[in-house]
Amino acid sequence: MELHHEFTVPVPVEDAWRALLDIERVAPCLPGAVVEDYDGRTVTGSVKVKVGPVTVTYRGTAVFDEQDETAHRMVLAATGRETRGQGTARATVTGSLAERDGGTAVSVDTDLTVTGRPAQFGRGVLSEVGDRLVGQFAACLAERLAEQAPGEPVVDEEEAPPLDLLRMAGVPVAKRAAAVVVGALALTWLATRLRRRRRASGHR
């Protein structure tokens, strides 16, 4: 699926460019993300995603295929696999920065493929989650840019909580998910009743 998001940060484009490439610095703004290693081009780490009562951890790498400082354009290719399951996640993220009213406008295009539990929500829900996630990321990034100058060491923090898909998508999605569960239970109950009736009829 293809997703598009835009946000702005109140700093000049050069500062925003350096900040977005400072992976250890911006990673805490992404719920569930943990960076284990970064050599300037390849990021190794994990992302935890909570789907109802189940938490799924994806481990993998993300590689900068492009870092065009002149055009302020970057392309990041990421792949991950569930640590306890067969689910996978692949994403190609293209970001471009442009000066706007003294700040920086950031445009992000994501080509995302997900298998496993998170895939059950479909494009609509994942798009909702993406909108909220980008909004949260933009606010966090703006706050960090205002507080911390580029190049300063990042203070170690507690382990990041998982990205909660239901909470991030909001109450309507949670209600839809609950409706699906209730519907499944109703169908199961109905099928059980029908089987019992057939068995009872067979013994007459």
Side-chain angles (χ1 to χ4, degrees), residues 18-181:
R18 288 193 296 270
L20 288 173
L21 291 179
D22 191 347
I23 300 299
E24 290 94 340
R25 184 182 180 194
V26 301
C29 289
L30 291 171
V34 176
V35 173
E36 297 172 358
D37 185 59
Y38 177 50
D39 62 7
R41 184 170 183 271
T42 302
V43 185
T44 302
S46 63
V47 176
K48 289 185 179 180
V49 179
K50 190 171 184 292
V51 184
V54 179
T55 299
V56 180
T57 300
Y58 292 92
R59 291 182 58 85
T61 60
V63 180
F64 279 101
D65 285 343
E66 181 181 335
Q67 292 183 13
D68 189 334
E69 186 173 359
T70 302
H72 297 124
R73 182 178 186 273
M74 62 182 76
V75 179
L76 185 70
T79 59
R81 179 176 293 276
E82 286 185 35
T83 56
R84 296 181 180 180
Q86 300 300 315
T88 61
R90 296 194 308 274
T92 299
V93 182
T94 302
S96 58
L97 284 62
E99 185 176 353
R100 179 181 296 173
D101 299 327
T104 300
V106 183
S107 175
V108 182
D109 291 299
T110 305
D111 186 354
L112 175 67
T113 303
V114 180
T115 65
R117 295 182 185 89
Q120 66 184 287
F121 292 102
R123 187 189 187 285
V125 173
L126 291 179
S127 181
E128 289 181 42
V129 172
D131 290 341
R132 292 172 180 265
L133 188 61
V134 168
Q136 180 176 317
F137 173 78
C140 175
L141 180 61
E143 182 179 349
R144 284 179 174 266
L145 286 172
E147 293 177 349
Q148 185 179 8
E152 289 185 3
V154 178
V155 178
D156 289 336
E157 300 183 4
E158 296 181 358
E159 183 178 354
L163 169 60
D164 192 330
L165 286 183
L166 289 181
R167 183 181 64 80
M168 186 66 71
V171 175
V173 175
K175 288 182 176 179
R176 289 201 296 270
V180 171
V181 173

